Structure formats: structure tokens, C-alpha cells
Amino acid sequence: TRARAPAPAGVPPGGPGQGLQGMVLSMVLLYIASPVIAVVVTCVYKAKVTDTRPRFEEVVNRPAQSEYNDFEKGLCDCWSEFPICIMLCFCPTTRLADTLASANIMQFWVVIVLAIFVLPLMTSVCCWLGFTLGVQTNSTVIMYIVPWLPWLLCAAIFAKFRGDLREKLGMSGEGNFGKDCLFHLFCTPCAWGQEALELDQRTGVETKMCAIEKKEPVGDLVGLMG
């Protein structure tokens, strides 16, 4: 029998057709399976965690001391909380939606839609726009700056939400909008984790993987409406 000639460089052993099948499968997993899995995980998390939290107005508390000006939890303290750390690594927008919805800042599914669909769409449009304008004007500055505009806008929005959370939790300090923007621009998961830990501490709960465990609240119980 004649030996089969080796496939040319760059061609899969099964031929070009097999390479195309692998590409199609990868695209299906990326654009269809991944969002479906994310939606399923988000629905389960909302039902098991967000919907089982006690009403924010009834349980939120703050310490009586006037030193409560800012977050007591550190920016990297989420590393010590395994459930929150895992959610921030694999489903960060779900954890953010839980925090904002539990604090009555924004509805759960609105956060999910903005973070999973609107932000990627805006980023894609700005990448295309930046490339097009950069080529037409022969400007690399435009080509690299325009794609960052959605992220700058989102950093400002998340910083505003962080300020709202301060007010909801009864912090007497006004915070620093510029610093919050930098946190959400360069340390987004850690900032979301810090906010989640602070919310759990002030509402007297501990977030597990798919459950809420009540514990002794920190500080004097003070109902904050709104």
C-alpha cells in the first residue's frame, strides 16, 4: 500500500473540512452555549440568594460611631471569602446585580442586560468606529482612545452606584468620585467584591455559593429607608 503523504503545513490532519467544523463548534460554544450557561447560573443564583435576602429597609444597619465614613472592608478582602471570590471570577455581573438589587439601587435584570449585552455591543461599535476613524484620519491616537470610551462611561456609572451604596449604608463620608472611577476602571472585580462584603456585613448575612446564611449584624441596627 502506498503511504499517505503528510498534510501540508497549516492544514488539519482531517483536511480543511475538519478545521472548519472545529471553528464552527468553537463559535457555537462561545456565542450560544456560554450565554445560555450564564443565564441559567444567574437565574439559579437570583432564586437562591438575591430573592432570599431579608428586606434591605428592615435589616440594614450601621455602627453608632461617627468614624463610619467609608468602606470598612478592604479592596482585596474578597480574596478571603471563597463564595464571593468564585462568583467574581466566573460570574461577576451576577454578583454585581445581587449587590445593587439588594440595596434597592437598580433592578437585578437591568444590571445583567447592561453588563452582558449593552456594554459588549457599545465596545464593539466603538472598536469599529475607532478603527474606521483612525484609518481615515491616519491617527493612531483615535484608534486606541475611542474603544476605551464605553469602559470610561461604565467606570463613571459604577462609581455613581458606589456612592449610592455609601448613602444607603449610612456612611457619613462623601467618598471620592475620582478614586471610585479608578477602582472600577482598573480593579473592577475587587471593587465589586468590596461592595458585596460591605453589604453582607451591614445587613447581617453571609453569602454562600447558592444560599444566604444569617449572622449577627455589625453595629447598631438603624433602618434606612430609600
Side-chain angles (χ1 to χ4, degrees), residues 86-98 112 115 188-189 192:
I86 288 296
M87 287 300 299
L88 291 172
C89 288
F90 296 101
C91 300
T93 54
T94 302
R95 178 60 249 200
L96 172 67
D98 177 40
I112 295 297
T188 307
W192 291 352

Side-chain angles (χ1 to χ4, degrees), residues 56-147:
F56 180 80
E57 296 87 352
E58 297 174 356
V59 298
V60 69
N61 59 86
R62 62 185 178 187
Q65 297 85 354
S66 59
E67 299 86 56
Y68 187 47
N69 297 323
D70 209 338
F71 291 88
E72 291 187 342
K73 295 293 185 178
L75 187 63
C76 297
D77 282 357
C78 57
W79 290 100
S80 62
E81 297 291 337
F82 181 76
I84 291 181
C85 185
I86 288 296
M87 287 300 299
L88 291 172
C89 288
F90 296 101
C91 300
T93 54
T94 302
R95 178 60 249 200
L96 172 67
D98 177 40
T99 300
L100 297 181
S102 300
N104 297 332
I105 295 175
M106 180 174 283
Q107 294 184 3
F108 186 93
W109 289 111
V110 174
V111 179
I112 295 297
V113 171
L114 289 176
I116 295 182
F117 298 104
V118 176
L119 176 58
L121 179 61
M122 290 174 56
T123 302
S124 299
V125 171
C126 286
C127 286
W128 172 81
L129 183 62
F131 178 79
T132 303
L133 294 177
V135 171
Q136 292 179 350
T137 60
N138 196 24
S139 173
T140 56
V141 175
I142 295 178
M143 189 177 299
Y144 287 108
I145 291 296
V146 173

